[in-house]
Amino acid sequence: MSQKHANYPSLAGRTVFVTGGGGGIGAATVAAFAAQGARVGFCDIQPAPSKKLVAQIEARGQTALFAECDLRDIAALRAAMAAVRAKFGPITILINNAAHDDRHDFLSVTPEYWDDRIAVNLKHAYFAAQAAIPDMRAAGGGAIVNFGSVSWMSGSADLSAYATAKSAAHGLTRVLAREFGPDNIRVNCVVPGWIMTERQIEKWLTPEGEKLIDERQCLKRKLVPDDIARTVLFLASDEAGAITNQTLIADGGWV
Ligand SMILES: NC(=O)c1ccc[n+]([C@@H]2O[C@H](COP(=O)([O-])OP(=O)(O)OC[C@H]3O[C@@H](n4cnc5c(N)ncnc54)[C@H](O)[C@@H]3O)[C@@H](O)[C@H]2O)c1
């Protein structure tokens, strides 16, 4: 992240947990928190890029810990969070980033595939919050950032189970913000637009896609993972101390 971007003193020394931190927006978010002096733990299913990310962060004299897990397994997710807590102390910032946006034809979705989509796109966010909130309560407060998606707002097709899970992130945000506001725990939802992660570029950035960005976004540039990481930093920091129960769309004005 460039030197010209903001520094948030309230993030220094905090223990942060990021789901799916080994790639894409998650990796940019892990690096951004580490650059703020936070102690960042993250889980991912992909050990090689995750370990590389930790090595890059440590080479800068910053702090990160990778706990490998498939977060469709809630026991494994809890164990990953416990490992981060044991090393860095109570988790007071939780970034529910992980998801998997594979396309699917509505009429072909089986109950098993549906369950798997909900497990990779929604269920873990609920249980990660359940695991972190006692730490936040004991610490006198905390921040949770859930991840939605503009896909269901902009009317994308071929993503019905993913979009159903992503729209639920908004509802989860609203109930947790209400339930744990008295504990000074802020809960918000970031809604990325089309962000140029490696996966998006490899799988879906066609000349037609480029044209669509030009037509649909107000801002005529490709959005990148750091755009979202910076939004997340702000929401997690004390600068956003009065902001909870909100959805913040960071899509360059697509929807
Ligand atoms: N990139 C976009 O255009 C876009 C648009 C809208 C919303 N989003 C949202 O932003 C968030 C991040 O998306 P992204 O584009 O960076 O995704 P990505 O696919 O690039 O990265 C997701 C990360 O999660 C990890 N992961 C996937 N399944 C896992 C599992 N079972 N267990 C543990 N880790 C797992 C992956 O290994 C990867 O490192 C998601 O919530 C997504 O829905 C992204």
Side-chain angles (χ1 to χ4, degrees):
M1 196 164 290
S2 135
Q3 292 298 315
K4 67 180 188 268
H5 293 299
N7 182 39
Y8 297 99
S10 62
L11 297 178
R14 299 282 293 279
T15 301
V16 182
F17 189 81
V18 181
T19 62
I25 295 167
T29 302
V30 167
F33 274 110
Q36 296 286 334
R39 293 174 293 197
V40 195
F42 67 97
C43 68
D44 207 284
I45 202 171
Q46 296 198 67
S50 301
K51 287 177 184 168
K52 194 173 160 198
L53 177 63
V54 171
Q56 287 166 345
I57 289 170
E58 288 180 345
R60 294 194 284 266
Q62 300 160 2
T63 311
L65 177 70
F66 167 52
E68 185 175 347
C69 90
D70 182 337
L71 43 62
R72 290 172 292 185
D73 175 350
I74 298 301
L77 172 63
R78 286 174 172 153
M81 294 178 74
V84 169
R85 183 183 293 113
K87 179 123 193 220
F88 292 154
I91 296 165
T92 59
I93 297 175
L94 169 66
I95 312 302
N96 274 324
N97 159 78
H100 196 241
D101 68 346
D102 266 4
R103 295 341 191 220
H104 39 271
D105 164 40
F106 177 76
L107 294 177
S108 308
V109 169
T110 61
E112 294 73 28
Y113 185 73
W114 164 267
D115 286 346
D116 190 61
R117 292 303 87 191
I118 297 302
V120 77
N121 289 314
L122 176 63
K123 186 177 176 185
H124 57 84
Y126 189 101
F127 287 101
Q130 191 188 66
I133 281 172
D135 282 7
M136 296 179 185
R137 262 186 165 161
I144 298 174
V145 179
N146 294 320
F147 269 67
S149 168
V150 289
S151 54
W152 61 271
M153 300 176 181
S154 63
S156 299
D158 302 329
L159 282 163
S160 54
Y162 170 82
T164 305
K166 287 278 122 187
S167 61
H170 298 237
L172 180 61
T173 298
R174 301 285 295 179
V175 291
L176 294 185
R178 182 62 60 189
E179 198 161 334
F180 297 103
D183 297 301
N184 194 32
I185 297 171
R186 298 182 299 103
V187 189
N188 292 294
C189 185
V190 166
V191 179
W194 195 7
I195 310 301
M196 296 299 121
T197 60
E198 273 178 39
R199 178 176 158 82
Q200 297 297 316
I201 292 167
E202 272 168 26
K203 296 200 85 151
W204 293 294
L205 187 63
T206 57
E208 296 76 46
E210 302 238 12
K211 193 162 168 271
L212 201 59
I213 292 171
D214 202 44
E215 284 167 9
R216 295 289 299 271
Q217 276 184 200
C218 298
L219 302 177
K220 305 301 176 191
R221 69 169 173 90
K222 294 193 190 86
L223 305 184
V224 295
D226 274 350
D227 284 312
I228 303 303
R230 286 197 285 274
T231 308
V232 170
L233 287 185
F234 167 68
L235 285 175
S237 78
D238 286 0
E239 306 312 306
I243 302 176
T244 192
N245 211 14
Q246 300 303 309
T247 290
L248 186 48
I249 301 176
D251 71 343
W254 190 297
V255 295

